[in-house]
Amino acid sequence: MHRTNAFACIAVFTSLAAAEGGRARFIPLPTIPGGAAPYSAAFAVSDTGRFVCGASSSAAGTGPVVWDLDSLGVREVARFAQSTPGGEARALSASGSVVVGQSRQSTRFVAFRQMENESPQSLGSLAPSTLGTLSAALDTSADGAVIVGWSRNNQGTGAREAFIFRAGGMIGLGDLPGGTFNSTAHAITPDASLVVGEATDDRGLRAVVWSNSGMAVLPDPAGAVLGTAAYGVSKNGRVVVGKTVVTEGRSRATLWRDGVPLDLGTLPAADPDATALSCTFDGELIVGTSRFGDLYEAFMYDELGMRNLREVLVVEYGLAAELSEWELVSAEDVTPDGRVIVGQGTNALGQVQAWAVVLPTPCTGDYNRDQQVDVFDYLDFAQAYAEENIRADLDQSGQVDLFDYLEFAAAWDSGC
């Protein structure tokens, strides 16, 4: 697209205060009442930002749950008949009406899908097993029709194989040649065109993608590498996030944009280790967990680099009082627009508890997120737009075009 005079009609001004768009909220997510040792963990949030899924203790045991951030309620899901609770909910459809994960069925744990107002469906497994866990669903397409995860197979005792589940049933995605048979599909794009995860070769774990072209290994970042793994993928499929193992038990958060690797590093620590778990639509905001000594801390990564999420929420969003007795251990998922982040941490009583953070509605005019709308936002967006950088795709259409320019121009001119 020709862009030479695209910004000629925008009048440059030097500074405008950005609209606040409301105040950030930190929401501790409740457990099912009755648990002797309260516990909860959040693993995913719907694209709408309303529903969160994970696991919670209860009087009968710990099992899959869904939270509604509008009502702050929690409900048990995927309870098979005559089975005690067990397992966890790992992913939601875009609207939150379909939940998938792993649940106890009799004496085994199996991958499940549960649609709104319906009984849970067991997805089965690739092969019979004497082990207690047969399969686990880890992600789903936008409509909940296609599911990915891992299942026991017949390649060896305890062998895991990545699977994709469609209307016709569960299909194994295979593994790389060499090494012990072991593969897992961690995430899928909304249209089910791309699956990301890990497989094993002679060297160990390798980050891979599955598409209509088959399985492909993602390239290693520069430097010594023992292995890689992929845990999340952007909604447009252009960004994959995960980790690179650099020494035994030590990893660095990693991003692959259009297949090109980028080392995101770790939070500062004497014993560094970090894993990226999820990202926004364009991959410009990434969340995950990083080790600090014997503890783990949730992080966010954006144009300012990797930062401790709790510190950002306290300093930039004024949540010091709400987080005064909390440690945020892991940020597991983020909505495509970056407005809702979920994970788990430890509360004032030292208990592991799920949480959600709802950030103010983003100010589109504050393109560089420095809390003011000024000429630097114009310059940064103009450069990204001219380069057709996906970060300039403001309307999330999957391409950078005139509509993105018009959206930014209107927001910038209005001061937000």
Side-chain angles (χ1 to χ4, degrees):
M1 174 184 286
H2 183 68
R3 306 180 188 279
T4 306
N5 298 313
F7 286 88
C9 64
I10 299 183
V12 175
F13 59 93
T14 58
S15 180
L16 273 177
E20 291 183 359
R23 186 176 184 275
R25 290 188 298 147
F26 176 73
I27 306 171
L29 299 177
T31 60
I32 297 287
Y39 159 85
S40 60
F43 296 111
V45 57
S46 64
D47 288 357
T48 62
R50 176 176 175 179
F51 298 102
V52 178
C53 72
S56 169
S57 60
S58 70
T62 299
V65 296
V66 171
W67 292 273
D68 183 337
L69 295 188
D70 282 358
S71 65
L72 298 185
V74 57
R75 61 185 174 89
E76 186 182 59
V77 296
R79 180 82 170 269
F80 288 104
Q82 299 179 341
S83 291
T84 56
E88 54 197 22
R90 297 294 310 214
L92 295 155
S93 61
S95 67
S97 61
V98 180
V99 58
V100 303
Q102 176 192 83
S103 185
R104 186 195 303 272
Q105 187 177 38
S106 185
T107 60
R108 297 284 187 266
F109 286 85
V110 295
F112 76 83
R113 171 174 58 188
Q114 184 165 3
M115 301 182 182
E116 193 171 20
N117 300 321
E118 294 187 12
S119 298
Q121 172 192 4
S122 170
L123 305 187
S125 64
L126 294 172
S129 173
T130 59
L131 299 173
T133 303
L134 301 180
S135 56
L138 300 179
D139 201 12
T140 182
S141 58
D143 59 4
V146 184
I147 301 162
V148 297
W150 65 265
S151 171
R152 303 291 183 188
N153 65 14
N154 55 11
Q155 299 297 317
T157 303
R160 291 186 179 191
E161 181 175 354
F163 75 74
I164 187 166
F165 182 94
R166 301 179 186 272
M170 183 181 291
I171 300 172
L173 294 177
D175 193 22
L176 295 169
T180 302
F181 196 103
N182 182 30
S183 63
T184 299
H186 286 287
I188 187 172
T189 53
D191 62 0
S193 64
L194 189 71
V195 177
V196 307
E198 61 196 44
T200 308
D201 62 13
D202 290 329
R203 192 183 69 182
L205 287 181
R206 305 292 301 276
V208 296
V209 298
W210 290 272
S211 65
N212 289 335
S213 301
M215 186 192 314
V217 178
L218 291 171
D220 294 339
V225 174
L226 296 184
T228 54
Y231 296 102
V233 60
S234 63
K235 301 301 179 185
N236 62 11
R238 296 185 59 180
V239 176
V240 177
V241 297
K243 69 178 182 181
T244 297
V245 183
V246 291
T247 61
E248 191 67 32
R250 305 288 180 270
S251 300
R252 297 174 67 83
T254 306
L255 170 151
W256 290 266
R257 186 181 293 278
D258 296 327
V260 179
L262 175 64
D263 179 4
L264 305 182
T266 68
L267 290 175
D271 193 24
D273 181 75
T275 300
L277 297 172
S278 182
C279 63
T280 53
F281 175 86
D282 54 8
E284 291 298 324
L285 174 63
I286 300 160
V287 298
T289 183
S290 184
R291 183 163 55 194
F292 186 84
D294 293 332
L295 304 175
Y296 282 86
E297 298 176 332
F299 75 76
M300 62 178 288
Y301 184 99
D302 57 13
E303 66 274 10
L304 298 178
M306 185 180 293
R307 296 180 287 164
N308 183 296
L309 177 60
R310 183 183 182 279
E311 292 179 1
V312 172
L313 296 175
V314 168
V315 175
E316 297 185 15
Y317 291 97
L319 294 177
E322 293 87 339
L323 290 169
S324 62
E325 298 182 293
W326 272 79
E327 295 296 333
L328 305 186
V329 174
S330 178
E332 298 280 336
D333 197 17
V334 59
T335 52
D337 61 5
R339 197 173 63 88
V340 182
I341 303 172
V342 301
Q344 47 263 357
T346 54
N347 59 27
L349 299 177
Q351 301 161 340
V352 177
Q353 185 172 356
W355 53 264
V357 170
V358 181
L359 301 177
T361 302
C363 173
T364 303
D366 182 19
Y367 184 75
N368 60 17
R369 302 179 188 173
D370 64 355
Q371 307 304 310
Q372 59 183 1
V373 177
D374 55 25
V375 67
F376 298 106
D377 297 297
Y378 158 71
L379 295 173
D380 289 345
F381 179 77
Q383 180 178 349
Y385 183 82
E387 296 172 350
E388 299 190 31
N389 187 316
I390 194 63
R391 190 176 170 229
D393 180 22
L394 299 183
D395 62 1
Q396 299 187 2
S397 66
Q399 59 185 353
V400 178
D401 54 27
L402 180 62
F403 297 105
D404 300 302
Y405 153 69
L406 294 175
E407 184 167 333
F408 176 76
W412 193 77
D413 191 47
S414 69
C416 192

